[in-house]
Amino acid sequence: AVIPEGVELTDGFHLLMESLEMNGITNIYGLLGIPVTEIGRMWQARGNKFFSFRNEQNAGYAASVAGYLTKKPGVCVTVSAPGFLNGLTALANATTNCFPMILISGSSEREIVDLQQGDYEEMDQLNIARPHCKASFRINRTEDIGVAVVRAIRTALSGRPGGVYLDIPARLFSTVMSAEEGAKTLFVPVDPAPEQIPGPSAVARAVELIKGAKKPLILLGKGAAYAQCDADIKALIEETGIPFTPMSMAKGLVSDTHPQCAAAARSMVLQESDVVVLIGARLNWLLAHGKGKTWGVAKKFVQIDIQANEMDSNVPIAAPLVGDVASCVNALRAGLKGMTKPTEWMGAIAERVTTTKGKLASKLTAATPVMNYFNSLGAIRDVLKNYPDITLVNEGANTLDNARMVIDQYLPRKRVDTGTWGVMGIGMGSAVAAAVETGKPVVAICGDSAFGFSAMEYETITRYNLPVTVIIMNNGGIYRGDEANPEHQFSCMLFNPNTKYDQFSVALGGEGVRAETPEQLAKALEASLKSGKPTIIDAIIDPAAGVESGRIGNLNIVSTIGKK
Ligand code: OXT
Ligand code: MG
């Protein structure tokens, strides 16, 4: 339509920004260039924050972690084709982990892309994104920007949260319309993540099963942490006296030091329990699909999940509770009021926990010629005890598995790690988002391989002067650093042994410390947390200390006939 002269105009850029602002988005994570550059400049000029990354994948991880921590979709903005594809990995990861996130990419002109006439950064992004997220939308008209943003937000947040792709053809950004008409197209969704109440008969079935159990167990997943109904979950655990064990990102939802925490008796409780209540935890590979020798004696599952078809995904679920975590947990609390506590079972578990912790304690303080995972992480643990509200970011193999075991978490949503996919490279993006969204310090404990995936974002951290301490567990390789080199070649599992991560930090404007003993490590960490300055601690770990694939060596495939 022709707009009469003198009418005040708006355009796609402004409508998009106003719509995001109206919906409470203040931080955008991204990487700029044609055709989205102006979004960054104008977003900052309007008083919002644009966190500019060195690679879109890391910006995407940051957005997804922002979504996980805040229960609002994290927004990532990228350029077309290659920038979009870099961001897509993070969008897929967000969807797999059930983190709400919106990836907004500029795209090249439809008429050229669709006829494959070779446009600048030509790619059919809409369709490529589709299988990797909850929904893939394109906005073709400026008057649809408002509804598209709302649709993206509702899709990302409702039911099982996840990623949404929003495709904006370049030309739309500068397409104008009447400002007055444009303003009328923007709105905020009512109740985008509605309560979903479980049916009374489903609740009664679950209550009966739990009441009849001799050895019940509660298993907390990161879905339970995401739900932000921490007090309700703690109350369920304390009122029933049922032991609980957390999946890695649910650590701290109820403190790891709580007397009912069975994490240190994990294999025992998985094997011996008779009724297992899964709260926001899926029976995927991380839980051995709910079957096999991990799970020992026959058992019945109660499963709380917002997505109905999660039930029976691997094994029959005796009592499915479909609904939001808070509603389901509170329904169980009401039904289980006055339940007899399984004190004998809890007592046996507590005994095992004490023995296991005792065995570990001696390893954590043992002196060794070169630091290993235990005494280095023991030193870190002792410092972090005094900083319960830092966010711990953790990636690697041995670095991940040992840190998960050794470092206690005391508060909910204070641990971000490699998640459902076990993906390396979430480190620096997650650290940025955690520092930005919580306003509190972050400690990232990364394997030297894992760190390499997002290392250049350390410059992003120093540029924004974020209170992030990165501890690099430098064992010189993937899993181990002592593999023999084949003839005339460098081993495919090793890194340059002369790599000095502390100096890398200094070169990028941060503080750098080399730590060769647990005492040096503790001192450097304490100093870094006190200073709040971006710091890398290069923790020198015995190259022989790790094991292949960490604790998931069972998933590694090895040749059955060996070397030929
Ligand atoms: O009860 P038992 O006896 O079983 O003992 C358990 C607990 O009771 C006990 N525990 C405790 N003891 C004492 N005190 C306390 N407080 C306590 N708490 C617990 O500890 C044990 C273990 O408990 P846990 O961990 O809970 O139980 P378990 O049985 O291990 O749980 C099973 C799992 C599956 C839930 C758990 O293991 C888990 O969450 N695992 C996640 C594993 C994972 O995701 N790993 C990462 C991927 S590995 C591999 O893929 C890597 N790659 C390839 C690659 C990837 N991933 N991504 C991309 C984009 N490209 C490539 C690469 C490149 S790792 C990797 C790099 C590795 O090198 P680095 O240099 O980075 O790292 P280093 O290895 O350090 O060199
Ligand atoms: Mg390593």
Side-chain angles (χ1 to χ4, degrees), residues 247 263-267 285-286 356-357 360 373 396-401 404-405 408 418 422-424 447-450 453 475 477-479 551-552:
M247 298 304 290
R266 184 183 161 96
S267 44
W285 72 277
L286 288 154
T356 313
K357 283 190 172 177
L360 183 64
Y373 288 98
N398 293 280
T399 300
L400 175 83
D401 294 335
R404 183 178 64 243
M405 176 170 69
D408 288 328
T418 52
V423 62
M424 299 299 115
D448 49 352
S449 165
F453 286 73
N475 67 345
I478 300 178
Y479 312 136
R551 277 186 68 86
I552 53 171

